[in-house]
């Protein structure tokens, strides 16, 4: 089996998201386990011997998670999480076992909330330093212009006429 790199996904509440997990294998996949380390009891999804087992699922995931490919073709053990909520954010772990072997961690997927509330907050946080910098620049430029104006208005320029030189 081949481990994949961790994956980061963003999903908006109410949408579905595919938690991707795929391995290159020639053997029959016998067990698929999707877990959340921060969820105490139950699986996100559990599959054994050709069928899913909803009795082993945590109640918050029941009727919301299914295999992307029920035939597990090409080692694809990805699942679709439906009707995503803010409570679904976190890290998911994909474990798989081939015939005659024990389950192994294949990959981790981190799911974050992509709702408008988060984007607005991030935009506000990122925008505040820019506004502060622009105000500082405007103040410095304004001060320089003021000082130049004061310096020029305070000087009286006088030149002697050429015929008075002497």
């Amino acid at each position: 089996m081949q481990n994949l790199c961790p994956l980061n996904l963003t999903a908006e509440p109410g949408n579905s998201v595919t938690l991707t997990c795929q391995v290159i294998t020639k053997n029959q996949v016998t067990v698929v386990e999707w877990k959340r380390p921060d969820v105490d009891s139950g699986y996100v999804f559990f599959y054994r011997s050709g069928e899913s087992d909803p009795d082993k699922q945590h109640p918050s995931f029941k009727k919301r998670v299914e295999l992307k490919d029920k035939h597990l073709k090409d080692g694809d053990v990805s699942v679709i999480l439906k009707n995503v909520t803010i409570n679904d954010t976190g890290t998911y772990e994909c474990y798989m076992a081939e015939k005659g072997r024990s389950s192994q961690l294949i990959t981790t997927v981190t799911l974050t909330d992509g709702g408008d509330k988060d984007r607005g907050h991030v935009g506000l946080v990122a925008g505040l330093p820019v506004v502060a910098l622009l105000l500082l620049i405007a103040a410095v430029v304004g001060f320089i212009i003021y000082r130049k104006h004061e310096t020029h208005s305070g000087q009286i320029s006088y030149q002697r006429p050429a015929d008075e030189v002497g």
Side-chain angles (χ1 to χ4, degrees):
M1 282 191 281
Q2 176 183 341
N3 289 354
L4 301 175
C5 295
L7 179 66
N8 296 314
L9 297 173
T10 302
E12 293 192 24
N15 289 348
S16 295
V17 65
T18 300
L19 304 177
T20 305
C21 184
Q22 187 166 3
V23 295
I24 298 169
T25 182
K26 295 178 184 175
N27 300 321
Q28 179 185 0
V29 175
T30 56
V31 176
V32 177
E33 302 167 342
W34 277 91
K35 301 177 183 179
R36 283 254 320 255
D38 60 336
V39 173
D40 292 334
S41 62
Y43 291 91
V44 171
F45 181 81
F46 186 83
Y47 170 95
R48 179 178 290 183
S49 302
E51 58 186 53
S52 63
D53 187 350
D55 292 335
K56 294 195 182 233
Q57 271 184 309
H58 187 274
S60 68
F61 294 104
K62 286 191 179 197
K63 297 184 181 183
R64 294 194 312 128
V65 184
E66 64 184 36
L67 281 170
K68 178 181 170 191
D69 179 2
K70 291 178 182 23
H71 302 291
L72 307 177
K73 190 166 45 172
D74 300 325
D76 188 355
V77 295
S78 304
V79 293
I80 300 169
L81 175 59
K82 300 175 185 176
N83 195 22
V84 172
T85 70
I86 188 79
N87 295 328
D88 293 329
T89 60
T91 301
Y92 293 79
E93 297 175 337
C94 172
Y95 292 81
M96 188 191 85
E98 298 171 320
K99 188 172 185 175
R101 297 191 179 180
S102 60
S103 284
Q104 293 182 348
L105 176 63
I106 304 302
T107 193
T108 59
V109 178
T110 301
L111 182 63
T112 57
D113 176 28
D116 290 336
K117 182 179 80 169
D118 265 6
R119 277 198 295 270
H121 179 68
V122 170
L124 179 62
V125 170
L128 285 176
V130 173
V131 170
L133 180 61
L134 290 174
L135 287 173
L136 179 63
I137 291 170
V140 169
V141 169
F143 180 75
I144 291 170
I145 292 170
Y146 171 77
R147 292 290 292 174
K148 278 189 173 187
H149 179 69
E150 283 292 310
T151 303
H152 287 303
S153 65
Q155 293 178 350
I156 300 176
S157 179
Y158 176 75
Q159 282 187 334
R160 281 178 143 185
D163 58 340
E164 290 183 16
V165 177

